[in-house]
Every structure is written in structure tokens, then in C-alpha cells.
Amino acid sequence: MSTRIKHEKLQAFVDEAAAMCGPDEVYVCDGSTGEYDRLMALMLESGSATPLKKRPNSVLFRSDPSDVARVEDRTYISTPDRADAGPTNNWVAPDELKATMKGLYRGCMKGRTMYVIPFSMGPIGSPIAKIGIEITDSPYVVCNMHIMTRVGTRVLEALGEDGEFIPCLHSIGAPLEPGQKDAAWPCAPIEKKYISHFPDENLIWSYGSGYGGNALLGKKCLALRIASAMARKEGWMAEHMLILRLTSPGGKQYHIAAAFPSACGKTNLAMLQCTVEGWKCETVGDDIAWMKIGPDGRLYAINPEAGFFGVAPGTSYDSNPMAMDTLHENIIFTNCALTDDGDIWWEGFDGPVPAHAIDWKGRDWTPGSTEVAAHPNARFTAPARQCPCICTDWEKPEGVPIDIFVFGGRRAGVVPLVNEAFSWDHGVFLGATASSETTAANIGSVGDLRRDPFAMKPFCGYNMADYFQHWLDMGDRLGDKAPRIFYVNWFRKSAAGKFLWPGFGENSRVLKWMCERIDGRAGARKTAIGLLPEEGALDLEGLDVPGENMKEILAVDTAAWKAEIPSLEKHFAQFGDRLPPRMKAQLEGLAKRLG
Ligand code: SAT
Ligand code: MN
């Protein structure tokens, strides 16, 4: 039984979508376990999902080989004025894009059910939360949304008869003719995929893909691209950041929000196991932070999501035991390999490599094969509440007060282990110029230097230069209550190509220094690029890192930094005169300090 809608505007959205897409049926989701089980049973029966004997209530999906990740070059920020999307976004005029997409949407749900998913990003009723309505023809999307967001009747109740919602329309773009057999993973070819955002109308239209951020519209589309544009208008922040709580041996809590480009260990940091004596880390969120200034003038953050959509390959008891212990039951795996005893497997999994498996394309796989068993972007969808180190306050409606912002990237050279910004403006400059070397997870040659400002390049729903200005404005409003800003690089390598810093749990030593800086208890030395830990200020007790390594990763190589200036100038030049003068002043200041 479909739930009844009592909201006129919502009913109109549903009616219009149904008239355009032409589904056989319309079903409004109630968010119940029964609903999840029914849809999952259908997908198990059709063969699009495979049950996993080893993990209760868990399944494996294999996507179409053409539909395995976000499609950035088919992702659009559609504003009436192209300049408002800025140089880092793809743009098509709203009228043109809508006309094209309406053509694709016409009759696209033929032979399928249209699901209406009321969802809340953030705990229902939180002053920071927002409600979205996703319309989709994919039961896989419905089940994933059940895990990743709060879904169903309780959201409709919160919406009432005239509450505000963000309409999100999604279709896999694969209508079914009568008698036509469905594909295991129906989707449209790449040239018909569109992930479109209309920030002026708070509207999302997605067509042709069933995978991750292309299809689970609450995540990157709503919680980052549309939310970032709303946040600017409304004076808050929507950031691509993990949130964690550190507690000192004395019981003092510190909250950290951190942004990293992909393949820099963000999920691992979110679930950090502290190696420094007496310190404890808890996870609030692993991907997105929504932050508002609270009544006391401090910045409060919520995790708008309810689950983790994590990269599977490389996740192990070595790299992230807390993630592994989240995955025992109630999980949707996508594009992982299947073992003969009914478990999942991926490259980097603990223990021996299976002698035989079924790879992500459904073929026999044996060790030594030239191809990987799990797709490099294979994923797990897991309820956050199952994480053993989930913070007791992770669903607190008012959020947690942020003390520290961290930016970072993967750099073999130049960038030291950690430095602290001199000021808010300098911190914004560090975020705006964040750089990382590409890995196998990115397109392009491995080791290329990329600038990914605030790790938001693929996710900022408006002109990135205006986004820098928004950060400056937020700092002005926060004044002396603003979080302190740090920049880290866990990935320094020796000339011989060996990592100089052990990373993982040992990164807690660096976080401890940050907390002590806040409290005025740890020393720093002023350098041209920022404030670095003074000799002896980093707690290295019980850590076996050679002194010369520490010296190298805490040194500032003036010549190497000077050589970065042209790349920084080029990066800023793309924003033309929209670049805030305060950012330009920061770059000039750096050049001057370097001499
Ligand atoms: O596929 S998602 O966009 O949800 C995940 C990611 O690419 O970071
Ligand atoms: Mn992300």
C-alpha cells in the first residue's frame, strides 16, 4: 500500500513526473523495514541482487560495466548566467538542458514502478536538516536511500501540508516494452546520462545512471551541490568534510571537520583509532558536514547522512578496522567480488586471496588474473549506527561545535606533515589552494598535481570564487569563535619512494598537537608557509620514526615552495576578477614571505 500525500505541491511534483515519465505504477515509500525487505526480495528474485551467505541480510549487486562511478563530465550546474556556475563546473542554459532532458524523460519509466522517496538530510526536526523528495524508477536506489538517509512517513509528517522540500527527479533511463526481459542493471548509455542541478530553483534532475552519487540524489547532488548554493544564500556551510570527536585523557572534547580529495584516507581518518595514550576518537560523519552558527556564536555541524557509501577496495582490518566491523550485516555491496563460500572480497581484503571468485563482471576469477576481481570503485552501503566508534551524539539535532578545520592532500614532496594557518584568511587560502597528486582512482596520469579547492571541485554548486568569498564572510561573522585551520599531508615520501610517516592511527599525534594548539599548550614556530610544530611539540612517545624522517617532513623547503607560486597564480587566474581580493593578498603575502 502506497502512503497518502497531503501536501499539494508535493502531489503536483509527483503528478507531473508521472505524466512525463509514464510509469505503470506510482508508489510512495513509507521507509519501513517491511518495504526494504519487499523490494530487496524482488531484486533477489529477478537475479539483480545476490544474497551473501556469510553476512546476514546483506547482498551483492553488479552494475553495468558502463555505470560504475560518478560521471563528472555529464554533471551540470545550470544557472541562467554561465558566470554563476563558474570555471570549475559544466554549464548548459536551464531552458536548453530542460528541453533535452524532458525529451529523455518522456515515457522513460514505461513498464516500471515510480517510487516516491520522502527523505531527510539530517536528523528529522534538526534546525540544520533539509527535506528532499526523490522520485526514482530504481528499487536499488530506494533500498540504498533507506540506509543513506532517513526515509518515509515520518519525513512526510515533518513536511506537513506546506513544508519546504527539494525535488529530485531520477530515472535509470531504461523503459521496458511489454514482454521485454529486464537487464540485471538497467541504465542508459553514457551519452544519454545527465546529472543536472538548477540551483536557482533548488531542483535536481538525474537521468541514465543507477550508480552512487549519480542516483542517490541526497548525497552529492542535494547535500553538496544544491546545499552549497542554498548555504551561501542562507548564511551557512555545506562542506565535503568528515566530522570526528577527539576526547583527551582529561575528558575534554574537540570536534574536527576535515576535507580531503578522494584517495587521501578520509574514511580512515573519520574512523581513526588513536595510538596516543588516553585519547579517544569517535565518528560523527565520514563525507559531508552541514554547519550553522549556533546561539553561542560558534559553528555547529551535523552529518546530514545516515549511512556510509564507502570505497571497498583497500578497506581492511589493517587500514580501517572500524569500517570492517561495520560491515557484518545489513549491507548492500556493489561491484565487489563474490567468493565460493558466499562472502564478498576485494583487493586489499585481509587474509589469503581466494583461490577462485566471481569478479564484479560476473565472470570466473583466479589469482594472477590480469584483471581485478572487484572494481576499484566498488562500494559498501552501510548504516552509520553499525559503526563501533559512531559518536553517541552523531544524531544530536543541534550538531557538535567545530573547533578545528583540516584540509589536506596527497603530496610526495614539498608540503609538510602539518601546518597551522596564521589567520582565518590564510586558512581559507590553504583550503582554496589544496593540492593532491592523482592516484589510480583519478582519470589522467598518476602523479599529476591537481588543485581541488576544499575538496569541493566536483561538488560546489556555484562559482568557486564566490565560494571562497562565502568562506571569508563566514569567518567575519564567526570572529574569534571561528575554528582554527590546519593543513596536513600524511603522504610524504623519501627520495627512494618510501613513506616517511606511518599514517593511519599515528595521525592522532598530529590531531593531538592541533588540540593543544587550541588550548595554547603546544608550541609552534613561524615559517613562511604557516605555523609548524616546534621541536618536541609533537607527541612521538612510543613511535618508531627515525629523527631524520621527522626533520624532513617538518621542514620548509623555500626553493620548492617558490617553485609552486606559478601554479598557484595559474590556479587563481581562472577565476578572473571574481577572485576575492583577500585571496590575492594571501598569495602575494606568501610570495613575499618566501622572499
Ligand atoms: O558515488 S558517490 O558520489 O556517492 C561517492 C564519491 O564519488 O565520492
Ligand atoms: Mn565524498
Side-chain angles (χ1 to χ4, degrees):
M1 253 288 282
S2 190
T3 308
R4 224 170 64 80
I5 295 176
K6 301 186 200 118
H7 187 295
E8 223 174 283
K9 255 176 122 175
L10 172 54
Q11 189 64 56
F13 173 48
V14 173
D15 291 345
E16 276 168 37
M20 179 162 69
C21 303
D24 285 5
E25 247 181 275
V26 176
Y27 173 84
V28 181
C29 298
D30 63 18
S32 66
T33 318
E35 176 176 278
Y36 181 96
D37 293 345
R38 262 192 330 272
L39 289 177
M40 199 50 92
L42 283 176
M43 292 187 282
L44 286 163
E45 197 187 326
S46 74
S48 72
T50 306
L52 295 168
K53 270 190 237 133
K54 293 277 169 158
R55 294 176 198 251
N57 196 33
S58 300
V59 297
L60 171 67
F61 284 83
R62 296 187 193 100
S63 80
D64 187 274
S66 72
D67 198 24
V68 292
R70 276 185 297 106
V71 281
E72 282 178 23
D73 55 349
R74 313 269 334 149
T75 300
Y76 298 90
I77 300 298
S78 181
T79 44
D81 183 351
R82 179 175 204 149
D84 290 333
T88 58
N89 284 310
N90 298 315
W91 179 87
V92 173
D95 289 352
E96 186 188 335
L97 187 54
K98 281 188 180 168
T100 306
M101 291 192 72
K102 277 182 184 167
L104 293 167
Y105 278 133
R106 193 154 304 124
C108 71
M109 294 187 187
K110 202 167 149 187
R112 301 192 184 277
T113 298
M114 183 176 107
Y115 301 95
V116 179
I117 316 170
F119 65 95
S120 176
M121 297 312 289
I124 294 169
S126 156
I128 314 180
K130 298 257 180 212
I131 289 175
I133 304 287
E134 177 160 355
I135 288 181
T136 180
D137 50 4
S138 162
Y140 169 84
V141 166
V142 178
C143 288
N144 274 273
M145 288 293 283
H146 264 242
I147 298 175
M148 293 304 297
T149 71
R150 289 119 179 133
V151 163
T153 313
R154 56 201 177 115
V155 178
L156 282 183
E157 275 160 13
L159 193 60
E161 290 180 9
D162 56 4
E164 191 197 330
F165 69 91
I166 297 150
C168 313
L169 177 58
H170 171 251
S171 171
I172 49 176
L176 276 177
E177 295 305 325
Q180 185 186 339
K181 190 176 164 2
D182 202 4
W185 183 281
C187 63
I190 182 82
E191 69 281 3
K192 287 195 177 158
K193 294 192 208 297
Y194 285 89
I195 320 299
S196 304
H197 308 74
F198 305 93
D200 287 30
E201 304 165 59
N202 292 341
L203 175 68
I204 300 164
W205 277 9
S206 166
Y207 184 89
S209 168
Y211 206 90
N214 301 331
L216 313 177
L217 302 186
K219 194 174 178 62
K220 306 297 188 180
C221 298
L222 193 162
L224 287 176
R225 297 195 193 97
I226 291 295
S228 64
M230 292 177 92
R232 176 182 174 228
K233 283 178 247 167
E234 297 170 4
W236 53 284
M237 305 172 93
E239 300 298 329
H240 190 203
M241 288 179 167
L242 65 87
I243 310 165
L244 64 82
R245 168 183 288 173
L246 272 188
T247 308
S248 74
K252 183 163 178 201
Q253 293 177 349
Y254 305 83
H255 295 97
I256 301 182
F260 298 90
S262 61
C264 290
K266 195 167 151 203
T267 307
N268 296 346
L269 184 63
M271 299 176 190
L272 181 91
Q273 295 280 91
C274 290
T275 54
V276 264
E277 188 72 34
W279 287 70
K280 191 171 111 187
C281 173
E282 293 161 87
T283 311
V284 179
D286 79 323
D287 196 36
I288 301 175
W290 279 4
M291 295 171 279
K292 265 193 186 162
I293 299 177
D296 61 357
R298 298 181 70 192
L299 192 60
Y300 283 79
I302 62 162
N303 168 11
E305 302 188 277
F308 306 129
F309 185 66
V311 176
T315 307
S316 68
Y317 276 97
D318 254 357
S319 67
N320 194 337
M322 293 296 110
M324 292 303 283
D325 279 338
T326 306
L327 303 179
H328 295 304
E329 54 189 348
N330 314 316
I331 309 296
I332 298 173
F333 294 96
T334 309
N335 287 347
C336 301
L338 176 68
T339 63
D340 294 346
D341 59 353
D343 199 3
I344 35 79
W345 189 82
W346 50 70
E347 280 67 21
F349 208 86
D350 305 88
V353 174
H356 173 263
I358 303 294
D359 74 3
W360 71 277
K361 288 183 176 168
R363 305 167 307 183
D364 287 311
W365 182 91
T366 48
S369 161
T370 53
E371 289 183 50
V372 287
H375 186 277
N377 194 37
R379 297 277 173 162
F380 52 78
T381 316
R385 67 184 140 76
Q386 288 184 193
C387 180
C389 61
I390 197 76
C391 180
T392 41
D393 288 333
W394 82 281
E395 297 196 276
K396 208 170 169 183
E398 63 271 36
V400 295
I402 298 299
D403 302 285
I404 292 168
F405 280 132
V406 179
F407 303 120
R410 173 186 289 270
R411 293 289 302 267
V414 190
V415 180
L417 176 66
V418 59
N419 66 304
E420 180 185 343
F422 298 123
S423 62
W424 180 266
D425 278 25
H426 183 232
V428 175
F429 173 74
L430 295 180
T433 55
S435 63
S436 204
E437 277 139 20
T438 50
T439 66
N442 307 92
I443 310 148
S445 60
V446 171
D448 275 357
L449 191 65
R450 291 215 188 175
R451 303 239 170 236
D452 183 353
F454 298 81
M456 281 289 276
K457 191 163 179 265
F459 306 118
C460 184
Y462 59 104
N463 190 310
M464 185 65 88
D466 299 346
Y467 169 88
F468 299 161
Q469 185 60 51
H470 180 51
W471 264 82
L472 294 169
D473 294 342
M474 288 301 294
D476 293 343
R477 281 176 59 202
L478 285 159
D480 62 2
K481 302 225 168 71
R484 293 258 280 269
I485 303 178
F486 296 81
Y487 195 97
V488 299
N489 174 24
W490 317 129
F491 301 97
R492 278 294 288 271
K493 281 184 177 171
S494 67
K498 284 235 158 67
F499 283 113
L500 292 166
W501 173 253
F504 299 109
E506 305 299 357
N507 292 337
S508 57
R509 298 171 187 274
V510 177
L511 302 187
K512 179 187 171 192
W513 178 73
M514 294 175 187
C515 297
E516 290 175 345
R517 286 290 300 157
I518 304 287
D519 292 342
R521 287 190 289 123
R525 66 191 165 92
K526 195 162 185 250
T527 76
I529 63 157
L531 301 161
L532 269 76
E534 187 176 83
E535 178 95 37
L538 265 188
D539 182 348
L540 301 176
E541 181 84 34
L543 181 68
D544 195 17
V545 172
E548 63 264 30
N549 286 18
M550 290 312 303
K551 220 165 155 195
E552 198 173 337
I553 60 181
L554 292 176
V556 176
D557 179 344
T558 309
W561 276 97
K562 273 188 177 169
E564 294 261 308
I565 299 285
S567 127
L568 290 167
E569 281 168 346
K570 189 169 159 232
H571 171 58
F572 275 174
Q574 68 182 308
F575 302 111
D577 54 14
R578 220 137 154 163
L579 183 78
R582 281 157 74 179
M583 283 295 95
K584 196 160 166 265
Q586 283 298 324
L587 179 51
E588 286 163 2
L590 173 65
K592 211 161 128 213
R593 289 192 302 272
L594 289 167

